[in-house]
Amino acid sequence: MLDFVLYMVFSILEAYAMFYLAFKVFKIDVFHIEMIFASFIMAFLSFVIRVNYSWVELDIIVQYLLIFCFLWLLFRIHIFYSAILTGMTYQAYTFIQLIYALIFNKFGLLSSQTFYGLDITTYFLQFLTALTAIITGYYVGYKRKGFDYVPDKPNGIVIISKREKILFILNLPTVAVVISIMHLFDSGYFLALPVIYFTLMFCYIYLSYTKDRSGHEYIKQ
């Protein structure tokens, strides 16, 4: 019972931090109750899939799809931009977690069991990552930074520009790269993962910045 409670607490915190970071970076209203509700569902399904059945890869895919569905259907973000936000958020959060994972691995604290939960190292890694994501989101919101090109209209037709196509394409390797973390953590290729994520995040930020500066409207009713 204690294992279940601890897993749920830290998983809810982690999912909440991902939503919080996404909403602050893209200047979207934060609805705490809905975010906790979505995080609870994600955490519970994660426990069943990852702990009960040890299907880590499936859990990663399911969590990715749940974030997309909640952004689209619960928080009412346009389906196209929900897809972009899902990839950007997942990759940004994973990049933060990778930095801590590298530090943990350097001190011999990371093992294959870390990826299955129910481990003190896992909880500490989740806590540090979530705290960093929340602090980053709060700082971005406090300084009024971030991007505002994501429309608050759930309906309408998206006029897809070249930037949107590139942003969408950048989402495609997200799940594959996340899954590769657990298979490469004890090899020399593990160091390449933060570089890959940094490159993807740089592209996201650059394209988002130029899109904001363009001042064009991409949604029609």
Side-chain angles (χ1 to χ4, degrees), residues 61-73:
I61 296 172
V62 169
Q63 295 300 302
Y64 187 89
L65 293 175
L66 284 175
I67 292 176
F68 166 72
C69 289
F70 283 131
L71 289 174
W72 172 34
L73 299 172

Side-chain angles (χ1 to χ4, degrees), residues 1-158:
M1 184 63 182
L2 179 60
D3 288 340
F4 173 75
V5 172
L6 288 174
Y7 189 96
M8 289 294 294
V9 167
F10 286 100
S11 295
I12 290 173
L13 175 63
E14 193 170 40
Y16 177 90
M18 293 179 70
F19 285 120
Y20 185 83
L21 178 63
F23 294 160
K24 286 296 184 179
V25 169
F26 289 93
K27 299 180 180 179
I28 300 172
D29 292 336
V30 176
F31 298 97
H32 297 285
I33 296 178
E34 288 82 352
M35 289 162 61
I36 294 174
F37 170 76
S39 299
F40 178 85
I41 294 177
M42 291 174 61
F44 181 78
L45 289 177
S46 177
F47 181 86
V48 173
I49 297 173
R50 185 176 296 236
V51 178
N52 288 356
Y53 294 98
S54 300
W55 291 339
V56 180
E57 293 88 349
L58 178 61
D59 182 39
I60 293 173
I61 296 172
V62 169
Q63 295 300 302
Y64 187 89
L65 293 175
L66 284 175
I67 292 176
F68 166 72
C69 289
F70 283 131
L71 289 174
W72 172 34
L73 299 172
L74 179 61
F75 298 105
R76 305 296 293 166
I77 299 173
H78 192 280
I79 183 172
F80 182 79
Y81 287 100
S82 292
I84 293 177
L85 258 66
T86 301
M88 294 180 71
T89 304
Y90 218 87
Q91 291 182 16
Y93 191 87
T94 305
F95 175 73
I96 297 172
Q97 198 161 68
L98 267 175
I99 299 301
Y100 286 118
L102 283 172
I103 298 174
F104 280 33
N105 196 43
K106 183 178 179 62
F107 289 96
L109 300 175
L110 200 66
S111 68
S112 59
Q113 295 303 313
T114 303
F115 301 100
Y116 291 90
L118 304 181
D119 180 83
I120 187 64
T121 303
T122 306
Y123 300 144
F124 193 46
L125 182 63
Q126 288 177 300
F127 175 76
L128 287 176
T129 309
L131 181 63
T132 303
I134 291 174
I135 291 175
T136 302
Y138 177 81
Y139 177 81
V140 170
Y142 179 77
K143 292 294 184 179
R144 298 182 182 276
K145 303 293 184 180
F147 312 106
D148 55 10
Y149 66 82
V150 175
D152 56 0
K153 303 171 183 177
N155 301 314
I157 301 174
V158 175

Side-chain angles (χ1 to χ4, degrees), residues 190-211:
F190 188 64
L191 293 174
L193 294 178
V195 177
I196 294 174
Y197 271 108
F198 179 81
T199 303
L200 290 172
M201 292 310 304
F202 177 82
C203 293
Y204 273 129
I205 293 173
Y206 174 77
L207 290 170
S208 296
Y209 176 76
T210 55
K211 182 172 174 58

